[in-house]
Amino acid sequence: EVGLEGEVGSVHKTLGVLARAALISNVTTLGVASASVNYSVGPNVNISASCSGENAEVLQGVDRTLGYVYEAWMGCRGIAFARSIDGGRTFQTPLSLPGSVGSNVNVWDPAITVAPDGTVYAAFMIAKSSAYYPVVAASFDHGLTFPQVASLFPSGQYNCGDRPLLGVVPDRPCLGTWYLGPTCTLV
């Protein structure tokens, strides 16, 4: 079961991450409030079989130019990432995003987006050095590696954050936002 934010229901926590690719092929905007979308849904594919432990909060990104599908989730002792180069029919072996290896307790809330040039951005929250902040990793080879990693460490009185969100627009490489406050009770 995938909710509005792309999070997987608790039934999948112990069964592993199941990806169901829904490739959008034809979007026609009819007005501000409505759109027509054609897509096809394939069978579930267990992409986390090689990862031990629980898995949760799956987010998906799609490179419509290449037909690649990317999945990021809490698992594999951190934040896991897997890619499909055949439209979601099969997935390559998952990897842990750089900076996320530890436990599912101190990293959470994955986010993912794909820029028009094919750059894959994956983010997650981390609790480290008495602060909660997002980490963003960038892949310039369509998800094979993530050589660029940036920690968005808060300054001043803010030390607690949650739920990073990523997006792209044509004139900027990646836009990110997250909840940020002086204490976790105010986030």
Side-chain angles (χ1 to χ4, degrees), residues 17-33:
V17 175
L18 300 175
R20 180 179 286 179
L23 296 179
I24 297 172
S25 60
N26 197 4
V27 177
T28 307
T29 302
L30 301 175
V32 176

Side-chain angles (χ1 to χ4, degrees), residues 50-122:
S50 64
C51 298
S52 61
E54 293 186 5
N55 298 284
E57 297 190 14
V58 181
L59 282 287
Q60 184 178 83
V62 176
D63 184 328
R64 292 185 184 163
T65 303
L66 296 175
Y68 288 9
V69 178
Y70 306 103
E71 304 281 345
W73 69 94
M74 290 173 46
C76 294
R77 298 176 312 278
I79 301 299
F81 173 87
R83 75 179 194 149
S84 169
I85 60 172
D86 60 8
R89 285 179 281 286
T90 62
F91 281 82
Q92 296 173 340
T93 302
L95 59 91
S96 295
L97 288 175
S100 76
V101 175
S103 74
N104 290 350
V105 176
N106 64 0
V107 293
W108 68 98
D109 283 352
I112 192 166
T113 194
V114 182
D117 68 359
T119 301
V120 180
Y121 295 96

